[in-house]
Amino acid sequence: MTLPHTGRALADAAPVPYWLDRPARPDPLPPLSGRHSADLLVIGGGYGGLWAALLAKQADPDRDVLLVDAGTCGWAASGRNGGFCAASLTHGLANGVDRFPDEVGELERLGRDNLDAIAATVAKFDIDCDFERTGELAVAVEPYQLDGLAADADLARRYGHRVRLLDRDEVRAEVHSPTYLGGMFDADRVALVDPAKLAWGLRRACLDLGVRVHEHTRVTGLRADNAALHASTLGTDPAAHPTDPGRSDTRAAGQPGSIRARRVVLATNAFPPLLRRLRAYLVPVYDHVLMTEPLTPAQRDAIGWRNRQGLADTANQFHYYRITTDGRILFGGYDAVYHYGNRVAPELEQRPATFTTLARHFFTTFPQLADVRFSHRWGGVIDTCTRFCPFFGTAYGGRLAYAAGYTGLGVGATRFGARVLLDLLDGGNTPLTGLDLVRRKPLPFPPEPVRAVGINLTRWSLARADAREGRRDLWLRTLDRFGLGFDS
């Protein structure tokens, strides 16, 4: 039942991402028009594309790198997420052990090195993105989840993680919620960032190194052009969406253009891919988020949370939440919404029923914050695959490389993915291109309508498992057996 104050708390929430709704947002760069050439074309200005452009230019300052984005850099998933920058490359250790048992130790090492390298890049280029290695606190909110936390801690320690189990009183001393029954704190494998500022800082670093960046430039087609690739583009009008200046709209078309490039990185996340083959492996899943107004000192005292850890509960349909540097609480997750036919559209970012559910769960978690209001509500689309972690490949005779399927953990893993893509484009065998993670593809999703039926049945079964002390029904056990699934 909706709490009496839920509607009031949501009444004035702006329907835009908090991270993007600030004066620090840089002015858009002009769309591309006319004919151009480049050594490396990067399609997509989210984290994956920005990291690829930056690393390519650092490795070879003479390489001519051109990056285009249909909106502005960071306007999609990279500017809408919770800002959890994790060391895991496999969507958690347990998923890595299940899917890559022979190399999970190496993947864990690579993940730690990757997080260290992100921190070093933030320092080197003076990126003001509030990067904090606060760690993450996983909390049990039902008695059956305590056994799962203990098993997770045992597994983590086997791979060298510094984790600590907390009983009810210890976890509530860290963050006070009457729903917490225990917790597991991972001290050093999760950092928190301001996600939009990270994207904007990477954009600035790319520009400083000489990367050419054109925003509001949609790539409409790719074709082989002798030893290179030819990309057709269409510039779009940045003024077409005054309330969401990052968004692009082909109906407000500008000048056509073209780019001839020796090599191409494709980093377009969950949006309809330029490569038809990718459609079988990806589904766009909408995640929704609330952001509170800044808490008062008394409200902060009521919940504790002095150590600023990232937080997540351990249900199948889980919530993630964190405190911002200006004292707001971001609260997201739970629903993972798929729309028939892999539909992606701006109107799907606003889902009142989900926002009401999130608000109700927020006040259940923190009843002492009953007077808090939400300043922003938004949604974003996640590129999900059946193994929950990225997959890689090449096309056009090795002249194009792609990565996709990060499933919500792309803030950190995209830098690793960019390294893989550059290695693939170089064409040699490297320690990264030899990994099973890189060489193997996930199982594809079935076509519609079976796809939608299967995904929605899985969502129903996950909710049912949460209501039945974690007991998985026959459908979920069958998916587990075949290495398939669907994660909230």
Side-chain angles (χ1 to χ4, degrees), residues 247 271 286 339 342-350 381:
R247 188 176 298 285
F271 292 91
Y286 276 86
H339 297 276
N342 280 23
R343 186 172 172 230
V344 176
E347 59 268 23
L348 302 180
E349 295 166 8
Q350 294 296 315
V381 64

Side-chain angles (χ1 to χ4, degrees), residues 400-425:
L400 178 147
Y402 59 83
Y406 288 96
T407 317
L409 283 193
V411 180
T414 43
R415 182 193 175 276
F416 170 83
R419 289 181 59 205
V420 170
L421 296 186
L422 296 176
D423 279 5
L424 288 171
L425 289 177

Side-chain angles (χ1 to χ4, degrees), residues 62-413:
D62 294 328
R63 183 182 302 180
D64 182 16
V65 180
L66 192 158
L67 182 149
V68 297
D69 191 272
T72 57
C73 291
W75 73 274
S78 298
R80 297 166 185 261
N81 60 82
F84 287 68
C85 186
S88 178
L89 305 176
T90 59
H91 208 274
L93 178 57
N95 192 53
V97 169
D98 286 344
R99 300 183 188 279
F100 310 104
D102 295 334
E103 65 183 29
V104 67
E106 176 66 4
L107 293 173
E108 288 292 294
R109 183 191 66 79
L110 289 167
R112 289 191 298 270
D113 292 348
N114 184 66
L115 185 58
D116 289 342
I118 292 172
T121 301
V122 167
K124 175 181 175 64
F125 291 98
D126 194 24
I127 297 175
D128 178 18
C129 63
D130 303 326
F131 186 94
E132 301 177 88
R133 293 188 88 150
T134 56
E136 183 176 33
L137 181 60
V139 296
V141 295
E142 296 287 348
Y144 77 88
Q145 295 170 5
L146 293 170
D147 289 341
L149 280 181
D152 288 344
D154 288 342
L155 180 63
R157 288 169 182 145
R158 290 205 297 272
Y159 287 89
H161 296 198
R162 293 193 299 122
V163 299
R164 181 166 63 95
L165 284 174
L166 292 79
D167 63 22
R168 189 187 73 168
D169 292 341
E170 289 172 324
V171 73
R172 293 185 185 185
E174 291 290 330
V175 182
H176 182 62
S177 168
T179 66
Y180 295 171
L181 305 178
M184 183 184 77
F185 180 56
D186 188 332
D188 59 359
R189 296 183 59 80
V190 174
L192 295 181
V193 299
D194 181 313
K197 285 185 177 181
L198 175 59
W200 298 336
L202 291 173
R203 173 189 186 262
R204 176 178 56 79
C206 286
L207 292 169
D208 288 348
L209 291 184
V211 175
R212 292 183 288 151
V213 179
H214 289 275
E215 297 177 319
H216 291 286
T217 301
R218 183 183 300 278
V219 176
T220 57
L222 281 172
R223 61 176 174 82
D225 185 2
N226 295 321
L229 293 179
H230 180 278
S232 302
T233 68
L234 186 65
T236 59
D237 183 2
H241 295 274
T243 61
D244 189 357
R247 188 176 298 285
S248 173
D249 190 341
T250 54
R251 291 172 297 179
Q255 294 296 316
S258 66
I259 306 161
R260 188 177 189 273
R262 293 178 56 249
R263 297 289 183 270
V264 174
V265 162
L266 183 61
T268 50
N269 191 259
F271 292 91
L274 290 163
L275 287 178
R276 183 175 295 274
R277 71 181 69 171
L278 294 181
R279 297 176 187 177
Y281 294 103
L282 290 172
V283 295
V285 174
Y286 276 86
D287 184 48
H288 296 85
V289 185
L290 298 176
M291 183 73 87
T292 73
E293 295 177 338
L295 302 188
T296 66
Q299 290 167 335
R300 287 291 297 271
D301 288 343
I303 61 171
W305 210 345
R306 296 173 183 84
N307 294 319
R308 304 181 53 79
Q309 314 94 320
L311 275 160
D313 63 59
T314 56
N316 290 302
Q317 292 184 290
F318 65 91
H319 307 85
Y320 57 86
Y321 38 120
R322 49 81 59 94
I323 284 188
T324 65
T325 55
D326 62 347
R328 302 168 186 264
I329 296 178
L330 176 147
F331 194 83
Y334 190 72
D335 270 347
V337 183
Y338 172 74
H339 297 276
Y340 187 89
N342 280 23
R343 186 172 172 230
V344 176
E347 59 268 23
L348 302 180
E349 295 166 8
Q350 294 296 315
R351 195 166 190 263
T354 293
F355 294 134
T356 298
T357 296
L358 283 174
R360 186 173 71 248
H361 294 174
F362 175 88
F363 291 119
T364 300
T365 304
F366 296 122
Q368 62 270 53
L369 300 182
D371 294 331
V372 165
R373 290 175 176 261
F374 298 102
S375 64
H376 293 77
R377 52 180 167 84
W378 72 92
V381 64
I382 294 170
D383 58 336
T384 300
C385 69
T386 57
R387 73 184 192 191
F388 306 143
C389 60
F391 63 93
F392 307 87
T394 61
Y396 294 101
R399 285 168 285 176
L400 178 147
Y402 59 83
Y406 288 96
T407 317
L409 283 193
V411 180

